Amino acid sequence: AQSVAQPEDQVNVAEGNPLTVKCTYSVSGNPYLFWYVQYPNRGLQFLLKYITGDNLVKGSYGFEAEFNKSQTSFHLKKPSALVSDSALYFCAVREGTNAGKSTFGDGTTLTVKP
Amino acid sequence: KAGVTQTPRYLIKTRGQQVTLSCSPISGHRSVSWYQQTPGQGLQFLFEYFSETQRNKGNFPGRFSGRQFSNSRSEMNVSTLELGDSALYLCASSLRATSGKNEQFFGPGTRLTVL
């Protein structure tokens, strides 16, 4: 079984400061890891993914994520937050054999204050 | 390329009724998955279709069903609606279902309210 945990319901940062949104996962095989963002009344938008290779993955809108196999984590980061980054962020995991089924974390609400 | 479209965007039904939601994937995408999003349960996987076949199913009662057509468009049906079925229903498409490497592209969702 695959599972994802996002330990923080809410993250607050000041504009211009770095941000981190945490995610840990559990799978029995090799993980495929994803970050999505959801704005109010909208569907989810893909930000980035880790499949294999470099542990640091770069994605859309200046976001990046670091895959850490020993800690089973995939934290989302951005060096300098913008007010427009305020949204709901979801981490998701899939096992290679479970292609169509993504398991999502509960989501973290990011608020960036001016 | 047009994105994933879902119709209708909003629905209000009463308990006991049934409802059908529709999803058109991105052109060329053959995998369609459905998710239920609620404040209490978060995002939960309903089912996934590829080439008109259900390939994965989540832990939902048999009142929830779906199908996929030859043009990859998908519908999901909920019969005998309950108050707890009120949710945002999201459809997602991806290029292939045989690999978990492909990200999913989500539609805007259908907001179902059961009174």
Side-chain angles (χ1 to χ4, degrees), chain A residues 32 34 36 38 41-46 49 51 88 90 94-106, chain B residues 9 31 33 35 37 41-43 45 48 56 88 90 94 97-104 106-108 111:
Chain A
Y32 297 146
F34 304 81
Y36 293 87
Q38 186 177 33
N41 300 314
R42 302 279 295 276
L44 278 67
Q45 295 176 34
F46 168 74
K49 65 181 177 183
I51 303 301
L88 182 57
F90 289 96
R94 284 193 217 159
E95 293 178 72
T97 55
N98 217 349
K101 177 182 176 181
S102 294
T103 298
F104 286 83
D106 290 337
Chain B
R9 291 292 311 277
S31 170
S33 298
Y35 296 86
Q37 185 177 23
Q41 299 296 318
L43 273 159
F45 173 78
E48 183 232 349
N56 278 290
L88 180 67
L90 293 165
S94 61
T98 54
S99 167
K101 301 178 183 179
N102 296 301
E103 61 271 25
Q104 292 178 302
F106 284 79
R111 174 75 62 187

Side-chain angles (χ1 to χ4, degrees), chain A residues 9 38 88 90 105-107 109, chain B residues 36-44 83-89 111-112:
Chain A
D9 290 338
Q38 186 177 33
L88 182 57
F90 289 96
D106 290 337
T109 299
Chain B
Q36 182 196 63
Q37 185 177 23
T38 59
Q41 299 296 318
L43 273 159
Q44 292 191 290
L83 295 179
D85 297 334
S86 295
L88 180 67
Y89 289 88
R111 174 75 62 187
L112 172 64

Side-chain angles (χ1 to χ4, degrees), chain A residues 23-54:
Chain A
C23 170
T24 58
Y25 67 90
S26 174
V27 296
S28 55
N30 290 324
Y32 297 146
L33 295 157
F34 304 81
W35 275 102
Y36 293 87
V37 60
Q38 186 177 33
Y39 297 98
N41 300 314
R42 302 279 295 276
L44 278 67
Q45 295 176 34
F46 168 74
L47 279 178
L48 51 78
K49 65 181 177 183
Y50 171 83
I51 303 301
T52 187
D54 288 341

Side-chain angles (χ1 to χ4, degrees), chain B residues 4-47:
Chain B
V4 178
T5 58
Q6 292 187 247
T7 56
R9 291 292 311 277
Y10 301 91
L11 267 178
I12 299 176
K13 294 285 188 178
T14 56
R15 279 180 298 175
Q17 288 187 308
Q18 77 166 23
V19 66
T20 299
L21 312 181
S22 180
C23 170
S24 293
I26 290 173
S27 177
H29 286 192
R30 296 170 62 193
S31 170
V32 174
S33 298
W34 288 89
Y35 296 86
Q36 182 196 63
Q37 185 177 23
T38 59
Q41 299 296 318
L43 273 159
Q44 292 191 290
F45 173 78
L46 279 157
F47 27 64

Side-chain angles (χ1 to χ4, degrees), chain A residues 53-64:
Chain A
D54 288 341
N55 291 340
L56 186 64
V57 178
K58 294 189 183 295
S60 307
Y61 313 119
F63 284 95
E64 56 190 30

